[in-house]
Amino acid sequence: MDTGQKWMPTEITPGDAGVSPTPDGLLAHLATAEGLDDLLVERKALVFRGFGVTEGTVTAIMDRLLPDRLAYVHGNSPRTKVGANVYTSTEYPPEFTISMHNELSYANRWPSRLVFCCVLADMTGGATPLVDARLWLESLDDEVREAFAGGVRYTQNLHGGFGLGKSWQDTFETDDRGAVDEFLAGTEATWRWQDDGGLRVSQLRPATTRHPVTGVEVWFNQADQWHSATLGDETARAMAEVLRAEEMPQSVTYADGSPIPAEHVLQVRDRGLDNAVDVDWRLGDLLLIDNVLVGHGRRPFDGARRVLVGMS
């Protein structure tokens, strides 16, 4: 469903900022710009375009925008760490769409803002769609919103080195079980080490949240991405032949453990994408988003695409 509302991220160019079209120009602008935090809350997403940011210069800019970057601990997307808590945005196969989501919304602790930077753009497609998370919530049928009102329960089965999905070592960036126990102890999760060396983690989380500054309620969960209905019929059928529901690398139910109907998560996925606007990458673009007010995803692409991300 498309409500017809037109929200777009705000573009800032060297001409707008009155600085040179270089990474140093962007740094100079960020050093003197007043009210950037307020502007981000007001506009939800900012695209810095025309500054020619590169992989070699992006860390200094992230240091300015994200001074306390988070490690991608407990993340479920395949990524490679390329610097000081700087990662590839995803290594999910390029032929697939990544549906809309707020980063780490399934976790006890999530980033408030994200920075993406395009350092290779020799591709067709590959836009990053953004959706106003308030609009996403409002676009859902009353029945769906009410069904999710009690929250959701996420379950992860992380293997110990060999198996489907991610290992617990990659997920928590350590091979120390004690460090994982210590991390999870502070997350309100329940977990159990398996006899085969794997780890099962269960988390009860709300389906919506409120922005800490504006108070606006937004859709804020990843039930559709964790649900087998969004894997596609063939993939879901193949996995069901070898795994019980509780053995899937990741799965989701309502908070009380009852199953979420496929039509509910498909509506969530589709309306998020239907209401999204695309950021079509140009080489050197940098995108700053409020991770509560805006969900993001990825369009399929052909060719070579490299987008880096930092979180704070």
Side-chain angles (χ1 to χ4, degrees):
M1 181 178 73
D2 187 344
T3 67
Q5 296 188 41
K6 299 296 182 184
W7 168 82
M8 292 290 294
T10 295
E11 183 175 307
I12 298 173
T13 67
D16 298 327
V19 296
S20 65
T22 64
D24 284 342
L26 178 54
L27 279 171
H29 170 63
L30 296 175
T32 58
E34 296 183 0
L36 186 64
D37 292 343
D38 293 338
L39 181 65
L40 180 61
V41 170
E42 177 189 348
R43 305 294 176 86
K44 304 180 179 68
L46 307 175
V47 179
F48 296 92
R49 173 160 285 163
F51 294 93
V53 182
T54 65
E55 188 157 348
T57 57
V58 70
T59 297
I61 295 167
M62 286 193 182
D63 288 345
R64 170 67 63 174
L65 289 170
L66 310 176
D68 299 305
R69 283 194 299 282
L70 301 173
Y72 187 61
V73 174
H74 209 178
N76 66 336
S77 178
R79 304 179 190 270
T80 299
K81 193 171 188 177
V82 298
N85 289 342
V86 178
Y87 299 81
T88 55
S89 61
T90 185
E91 293 170 10
Y92 199 61
E95 63 269 25
F96 296 114
T97 297
I98 298 177
S99 60
M100 310 310 296
H101 60 286
N102 304 78
E103 199 65 49
L104 288 167
S105 58
Y106 54 85
N108 177 258
R109 184 184 183 207
W110 57 80
S112 61
R113 59 172 61 175
L114 309 177
V115 168
F116 298 90
C117 183
C118 183
V119 296
L120 179 60
D122 187 14
M123 77 284 189
T124 302
T128 291
L130 303 177
V131 65
D132 181 331
R134 176 195 58 80
L135 175 60
W136 191 5
L137 173 62
E138 293 175 352
S139 76
L140 301 175
D141 292 352
D142 291 344
E143 175 191 7
V144 174
R145 290 199 300 269
E146 290 167 4
F148 277 92
V152 295
R153 183 174 295 279
Y154 302 99
T155 299
Q156 288 172 291
N157 287 297
L158 304 168
H159 62 77
F162 299 96
L164 292 172
K166 291 184 73 174
S167 69
W168 62 262
Q169 293 94 331
D170 286 341
T171 299
F172 295 99
E173 296 189 1
T174 181
D175 58 5
D176 181 348
R177 286 192 180 196
V180 175
D181 288 333
E182 182 178 356
F183 175 88
L184 290 173
T187 66
E188 302 177 7
T190 59
W191 70 99
R192 183 172 74 249
W193 292 99
Q194 308 286 68
D195 292 340
D196 63 1
L199 174 66
R200 177 173 294 176
V201 182
S202 178
Q203 306 176 86
L204 178 62
R205 299 288 180 251
T208 67
T209 193
R210 291 190 179 275
H211 191 271
V213 176
T214 69
V216 66
E217 186 178 16
V218 298
W219 189 250
F220 199 76
N221 70 81
Q222 288 177 233
D224 62 308
Q225 291 194 334
W226 287 57
H227 198 287
S228 61
T230 61
L231 294 174
D233 292 343
E234 291 185 9
T235 301
R237 188 161 44 246
M239 294 188 75
E241 289 177 356
V242 297
L243 296 172
R244 298 191 303 273
E246 64 271 19
E247 296 174 329
M248 297 281 281
Q250 57 187 40
S251 60
V252 65
T253 66
Y254 288 127
D256 62 3
S258 60
I260 302 175
E263 57 268 26
H264 283 188
V265 293
L266 292 175
Q267 180 182 129
V268 169
R269 180 196 66 185
D270 294 345
R271 293 195 182 168
L273 286 165
D274 289 346
N275 284 288
V277 298
D278 285 352
V279 174
D280 293 306
W281 289 109
R282 301 177 191 173
L283 185 65
D285 281 356
L286 188 138
L287 168 65
L288 172 65
I289 71 172
D290 185 306
N291 185 48
V292 176
L293 294 175
V294 172
H296 65 280
R298 191 203 65 191
R299 304 292 186 187
F301 66 94
D302 293 314
R305 174 189 189 272
R306 184 170 172 86
V307 175
L308 305 181
V309 64
M311 314 173 196
S312 181

PDB file of all heavy atoms in Angstrom, residues 140-163:
ATOM      1  N   LEU A 140       0.573  -0.607   7.595  1.00  0.00           N
ATOM      2  CA  LEU A 140       0.148  -1.975   7.870  1.00  0.00           C
ATOM      3  C   LEU A 140      -1.330  -2.013   8.260  1.00  0.00           C
ATOM      4  O   LEU A 140      -1.850  -1.092   8.886  1.00  0.00           O
ATOM      5  CB  LEU A 140       0.994  -2.573   8.996  1.00  0.00           C
ATOM      6  CG  LEU A 140       2.498  -2.627   8.736  1.00  0.00           C
ATOM      7  CD1 LEU A 140       3.228  -3.128   9.985  1.00  0.00           C
ATOM      8  CD2 LEU A 140       2.817  -3.511   7.539  1.00  0.00           C
ATOM      9  N   ASP A 141      -1.991  -3.107   7.913  1.00  0.00           N
ATOM     10  CA  ASP A 141      -3.389  -3.282   8.304  1.00  0.00           C
ATOM     11  C   ASP A 141      -3.509  -3.313   9.823  1.00  0.00           C
ATOM     12  O   ASP A 141      -2.594  -3.785  10.525  1.00  0.00           O
ATOM     13  CB  ASP A 141      -3.935  -4.591   7.744  1.00  0.00           C
ATOM     14  CG  ASP A 141      -4.068  -4.572   6.226  1.00  0.00           C
ATOM     15  OD1 ASP A 141      -3.880  -3.499   5.624  1.00  0.00           O
ATOM     16  OD2 ASP A 141      -4.353  -5.646   5.647  1.00  0.00           O
ATOM     17  N   ASP A 142      -4.643  -2.848  10.334  1.00  0.00           N
ATOM     18  CA  ASP A 142      -4.873  -2.859  11.780  1.00  0.00           C
ATOM     19  C   ASP A 142      -4.683  -4.256  12.361  1.00  0.00           C
ATOM     20  O   ASP A 142      -4.114  -4.422  13.451  1.00  0.00           O
ATOM     21  CB  ASP A 142      -6.285  -2.368  12.096  1.00  0.00           C
ATOM     22  CG  ASP A 142      -6.470  -0.891  11.811  1.00  0.00           C
ATOM     23  OD1 ASP A 142      -5.450  -0.185  11.654  1.00  0.00           O
ATOM     24  OD2 ASP A 142      -7.630  -0.448  11.728  1.00  0.00           O
ATOM     25  N   GLU A 143      -5.144  -5.264  11.645  1.00  0.00           N
ATOM     26  CA  GLU A 143      -5.037  -6.648  12.113  1.00  0.00           C
ATOM     27  C   GLU A 143      -3.582  -7.045  12.355  1.00  0.00           C
ATOM     28  O   GLU A 143      -3.267  -7.723  13.345  1.00  0.00           O
ATOM     29  CB  GLU A 143      -5.673  -7.589  11.093  1.00  0.00           C
ATOM     30  CG  GLU A 143      -5.512  -9.066  11.403  1.00  0.00           C
ATOM     31  CD  GLU A 143      -5.927  -9.962  10.252  1.00  0.00           C
ATOM     32  OE1 GLU A 143      -6.218  -9.435   9.157  1.00  0.00           O
ATOM     33  OE2 GLU A 143      -5.945 -11.195  10.446  1.00  0.00           O
ATOM     34  N   VAL A 144      -2.702  -6.617  11.459  1.00  0.00           N
ATOM     35  CA  VAL A 144      -1.291  -6.978  11.575  1.00  0.00           C
ATOM     36  C   VAL A 144      -0.654  -6.224  12.736  1.00  0.00           C
ATOM     37  O   VAL A 144       0.071  -6.806  13.557  1.00  0.00           O
ATOM     38  CB  VAL A 144      -0.555  -6.696  10.251  1.00  0.00           C
ATOM     39  CG1 VAL A 144       0.946  -6.920  10.409  1.00  0.00           C
ATOM     40  CG2 VAL A 144      -1.109  -7.588   9.149  1.00  0.00           C
ATOM     41  N   ARG A 145      -0.903  -4.946  12.835  1.00  0.00           N
ATOM     42  CA  ARG A 145      -0.340  -4.171  13.952  1.00  0.00           C
ATOM     43  C   ARG A 145      -0.785  -4.744  15.295  1.00  0.00           C
ATOM     44  O   ARG A 145       0.008  -4.864  16.232  1.00  0.00           O
ATOM     45  CB  ARG A 145      -0.744  -2.699  13.835  1.00  0.00           C
ATOM     46  CG  ARG A 145      -0.087  -1.956  12.696  1.00  0.00           C
ATOM     47  CD  ARG A 145      -0.169  -0.445  12.918  1.00  0.00           C
ATOM     48  NE  ARG A 145      -1.550   0.003  13.004  1.00  0.00           N
ATOM     49  CZ  ARG A 145      -2.265   0.413  11.960  1.00  0.00           C
ATOM     50  NH1 ARG A 145      -1.728   0.400  10.750  1.00  0.00           N
ATOM     51  NH2 ARG A 145      -3.509   0.829  12.123  1.00  0.00           N
ATOM     52  N   GLU A 146      -2.056  -5.100  15.392  1.00  0.00           N
ATOM     53  CA  GLU A 146      -2.577  -5.641  16.648  1.00  0.00           C
ATOM     54  C   GLU A 146      -1.959  -7.000  16.969  1.00  0.00           C
ATOM     55  O   GLU A 146      -1.658  -7.301  18.131  1.00  0.00           O
ATOM     56  CB  GLU A 146      -4.098  -5.755  16.562  1.00  0.00           C
ATOM     57  CG  GLU A 146      -4.796  -4.392  16.548  1.00  0.00           C
ATOM     58  CD  GLU A 146      -6.256  -4.489  16.140  1.00  0.00           C
ATOM     59  OE1 GLU A 146      -6.744  -5.629  15.951  1.00  0.00           O
ATOM     60  OE2 GLU A 146      -6.906  -3.423  16.004  1.00  0.00           O
ATOM     61  N   ALA A 147      -1.730  -7.828  15.940  1.00  0.00           N
ATOM     62  CA  ALA A 147      -1.152  -9.155  16.165  1.00  0.00           C
ATOM     63  C   ALA A 147       0.266  -9.054  16.717  1.00  0.00           C
ATOM     64  O   ALA A 147       0.692  -9.893  17.516  1.00  0.00           O
ATOM     65  CB  ALA A 147      -1.169  -9.959  14.862  1.00  0.00           C
ATOM     66  N   PHE A 148       0.994  -8.010  16.319  1.00  0.00           N
ATOM     67  CA  PHE A 148       2.380  -7.836  16.757  1.00  0.00           C
ATOM     68  C   PHE A 148       2.506  -7.039  18.055  1.00  0.00           C
ATOM     69  O   PHE A 148       3.621  -6.832  18.545  1.00  0.00           O
ATOM     70  CB  PHE A 148       3.191  -7.134  15.668  1.00  0.00           C
ATOM     71  CG  PHE A 148       3.703  -8.036  14.580  1.00  0.00           C
ATOM     72  CD1 PHE A 148       2.968  -8.233  13.423  1.00  0.00           C
ATOM     73  CD2 PHE A 148       4.916  -8.693  14.717  1.00  0.00           C
ATOM     74  CE1 PHE A 148       3.438  -9.060  12.418  1.00  0.00           C
ATOM     75  CE2 PHE A 148       5.399  -9.518  13.719  1.00  0.00           C
ATOM     76  CZ  PHE A 148       4.660  -9.712  12.564  1.00  0.00           C
ATOM     77  N   ALA A 149       1.381  -6.593  18.609  1.00  0.00           N
ATOM     78  CA  ALA A 149       1.437  -5.667  19.746  1.00  0.00           C
ATOM     79  C   ALA A 149       2.188  -6.241  20.949  1.00  0.00           C
ATOM     80  O   ALA A 149       2.822  -5.501  21.703  1.00  0.00           O
ATOM     81  CB  ALA A 149       0.023  -5.260  20.155  1.00  0.00           C
ATOM     82  N   GLY A 150       2.151  -7.563  21.125  1.00  0.00           N
ATOM     83  CA  GLY A 150       2.842  -8.169  22.255  1.00  0.00           C
ATOM     84  C   GLY A 150       4.317  -8.397  22.037  1.00  0.00           C
ATOM     85  O   GLY A 150       5.025  -8.837  22.959  1.00  0.00           O
ATOM     86  N   GLY A 151       4.818  -8.107  20.851  1.00  0.00           N
ATOM     87  CA  GLY A 151       6.228  -8.298  20.551  1.00  0.00           C
ATOM     88  C   GLY A 151       6.490  -9.608  19.834  1.00  0.00           C
ATOM     89  O   GLY A 151       5.555 -10.328  19.441  1.00  0.00           O
ATOM     90  N   VAL A 152       7.758  -9.921  19.644  1.00  0.00           N
ATOM     91  CA  VAL A 152       8.169 -11.119  18.915  1.00  0.00           C
ATOM     92  C   VAL A 152       9.304 -11.816  19.660  1.00  0.00           C
ATOM     93  O   VAL A 152      10.005 -11.206  20.471  1.00  0.00           O
ATOM     94  CB  VAL A 152       8.630 -10.781  17.473  1.00  0.00           C
ATOM     95  CG1 VAL A 152       7.484 -10.239  16.646  1.00  0.00           C
ATOM     96  CG2 VAL A 152       9.788  -9.778  17.491  1.00  0.00           C
ATOM     97  N   ARG A 153       9.449 -13.103  19.378  1.00  0.00           N
ATOM     98  CA  ARG A 153      10.538 -13.882  19.950  1.00  0.00           C
ATOM     99  C   ARG A 153      11.424 -14.391  18.815  1.00  0.00           C
ATOM    100  O   ARG A 153      10.964 -15.097  17.922  1.00  0.00           O
ATOM    101  CB  ARG A 153      10.016 -15.062  20.762  1.00  0.00           C
ATOM    102  CG  ARG A 153      11.147 -15.859  21.436  1.00  0.00           C
ATOM    103  CD  ARG A 153      10.612 -16.942  22.344  1.00  0.00           C
ATOM    104  NE  ARG A 153       9.873 -16.389  23.472  1.00  0.00           N
ATOM    105  CZ  ARG A 153      10.451 -15.908  24.574  1.00  0.00           C
ATOM    106  NH1 ARG A 153      11.776 -15.873  24.680  1.00  0.00           N
ATOM    107  NH2 ARG A 153       9.711 -15.435  25.555  1.00  0.00           N
ATOM    108  N   TYR A 154      12.693 -14.006  18.854  1.00  0.00           N
ATOM    109  CA  TYR A 154      13.679 -14.433  17.859  1.00  0.00           C
ATOM    110  C   TYR A 154      14.487 -15.608  18.405  1.00  0.00           C
ATOM    111  O   TYR A 154      14.875 -15.605  19.577  1.00  0.00           O
ATOM    112  CB  TYR A 154      14.657 -13.305  17.542  1.00  0.00           C
ATOM    113  CG  TYR A 154      14.054 -12.025  17.032  1.00  0.00           C
ATOM    114  CD1 TYR A 154      13.847 -10.939  17.886  1.00  0.00           C
ATOM    115  CD2 TYR A 154      13.719 -11.873  15.690  1.00  0.00           C
ATOM    116  CE1 TYR A 154      13.318  -9.749  17.424  1.00  0.00           C
ATOM    117  CE2 TYR A 154      13.193 -10.680  15.214  1.00  0.00           C
ATOM    118  CZ  TYR A 154      13.002  -9.624  16.089  1.00  0.00           C
ATOM    119  OH  TYR A 154      12.480  -8.436  15.626  1.00  0.00           O
ATOM    120  N   THR A 155      14.771 -16.571  17.546  1.00  0.00           N
ATOM    121  CA  THR A 155      15.628 -17.689  17.932  1.00  0.00           C
ATOM    122  C   THR A 155      16.730 -17.855  16.896  1.00  0.00           C
ATOM    123  O   THR A 155      16.457 -17.899  15.696  1.00  0.00           O
ATOM    124  CB  THR A 155      14.826 -19.000  18.051  1.00  0.00           C
ATOM    125  OG1 THR A 155      13.827 -18.845  19.051  1.00  0.00           O
ATOM    126  CG2 THR A 155      15.742 -20.160  18.434  1.00  0.00           C
ATOM    127  N   GLN A 156      17.959 -17.932  17.374  1.00  0.00           N
ATOM    128  CA  GLN A 156      19.124 -18.171  16.514  1.00  0.00           C
ATOM    129  C   GLN A 156      19.757 -19.497  16.883  1.00  0.00           C
ATOM    130  O   GLN A 156      19.922 -19.811  18.071  1.00  0.00           O
ATOM    131  CB  GLN A 156      20.182 -17.084  16.720  1.00  0.00           C
ATOM    132  CG  GLN A 156      19.843 -15.728  16.167  1.00  0.00           C
ATOM    133  CD  GLN A 156      20.883 -14.710  16.603  1.00  0.00           C
ATOM    134  OE1 GLN A 156      20.971 -14.365  17.777  1.00  0.00           O
ATOM    135  NE2 GLN A 156      21.673 -14.224  15.662  1.00  0.00           N
ATOM    136  N   ASN A 157      20.123 -20.279  15.866  1.00  0.00           N
ATOM    137  CA  ASN A 157      20.957 -21.458  16.043  1.00  0.00           C
ATOM    138  C   ASN A 157      22.279 -21.184  15.336  1.00  0.00           C
ATOM    139  O   ASN A 157      22.356 -21.184  14.106  1.00  0.00           O
ATOM    140  CB  ASN A 157      20.273 -22.699  15.463  1.00  0.00           C
ATOM    141  CG  ASN A 157      19.128 -23.173  16.322  1.00  0.00           C
ATOM    142  OD1 ASN A 157      19.320 -23.561  17.466  1.00  0.00           O
ATOM    143  ND2 ASN A 157      17.918 -23.126  15.781  1.00  0.00           N
ATOM    144  N   LEU A 158      23.301 -20.901  16.120  1.00  0.00           N
ATOM    145  CA  LEU A 158      24.614 -20.533  15.594  1.00  0.00           C
ATOM    146  C   LEU A 158      25.535 -21.740  15.707  1.00  0.00           C
ATOM    147  O   LEU A 158      25.748 -22.255  16.811  1.00  0.00           O
ATOM    148  CB  LEU A 158      25.174 -19.355  16.392  1.00  0.00           C
ATOM    149  CG  LEU A 158      24.268 -18.111  16.432  1.00  0.00           C
ATOM    150  CD1 LEU A 158      24.775 -17.114  17.471  1.00  0.00           C
ATOM    151  CD2 LEU A 158      24.189 -17.460  15.063  1.00  0.00           C
ATOM    152  N   HIS A 159      26.057 -22.192  14.572  1.00  0.00           N
ATOM    153  CA  HIS A 159      26.899 -23.383  14.610  1.00  0.00           C
ATOM    154  C   HIS A 159      28.283 -23.065  15.177  1.00  0.00           C
ATOM    155  O   HIS A 159      28.653 -21.892  15.351  1.00  0.00           O
ATOM    156  CB  HIS A 159      26.993 -24.026  13.221  1.00  0.00           C
ATOM    157  CG  HIS A 159      27.622 -23.151  12.172  1.00  0.00           C
ATOM    158  ND1 HIS A 159      28.975 -22.957  12.094  1.00  0.00           N
ATOM    159  CD2 HIS A 159      27.074 -22.433  11.147  1.00  0.00           C
ATOM    160  CE1 HIS A 159      29.246 -22.159  11.077  1.00  0.00           C
ATOM    161  NE2 HIS A 159      28.121 -21.827  10.489  1.00  0.00           N
ATOM    162  N   GLY A 160      29.029 -24.115  15.472  1.00  0.00           N
ATOM    163  CA  GLY A 160      30.335 -23.940  16.104  1.00  0.00           C
ATOM    164  C   GLY A 160      31.498 -23.905  15.139  1.00  0.00           C
ATOM    165  O   GLY A 160      32.657 -23.936  15.555  1.00  0.00           O
ATOM    166  N   GLY A 161      31.214 -23.802  13.853  1.00  0.00           N
ATOM    167  CA  GLY A 161      32.282 -23.757  12.846  1.00  0.00           C
ATOM    168  C   GLY A 161      31.884 -24.368  11.530  1.00  0.00           C
ATOM    169  O   GLY A 161      32.420 -23.991  10.480  1.00  0.00           O
ATOM    170  N   PHE A 162      30.938 -25.300  11.557  1.00  0.00           N
ATOM    171  CA  PHE A 162      30.467 -25.946  10.339  1.00  0.00           C
ATOM    172  C   PHE A 162      28.953 -26.089  10.421  1.00  0.00           C
ATOM    173  O   PHE A 162      28.423 -26.630  11.400  1.00  0.00           O
ATOM    174  CB  PHE A 162      31.111 -27.327  10.160  1.00  0.00           C
ATOM    175  CG  PHE A 162      32.608 -27.298  10.052  1.00  0.00           C
ATOM    176  CD1 PHE A 162      33.397 -27.517  11.170  1.00  0.00           C
ATOM    177  CD2 PHE A 162      33.232 -27.019   8.849  1.00  0.00           C
ATOM    178  CE1 PHE A 162      34.771 -27.482  11.097  1.00  0.00           C
ATOM    179  CE2 PHE A 162      34.613 -26.970   8.763  1.00  0.00           C
ATOM    180  CZ  PHE A 162      35.392 -27.205   9.885  1.00  0.00           C
ATOM    181  N   GLY A 163      28.259 -25.603   9.393  1.00  0.00           N
ATOM    182  CA  GLY A 163      26.814 -25.719   9.379  1.00  0.00           C
ATOM    183  C   GLY A 163      26.174 -24.591   8.598  1.00  0.00           C
ATOM    184  O   GLY A 163      26.854 -23.753   7.990  1.00  0.00           O
TER     185      GLY A 163
END
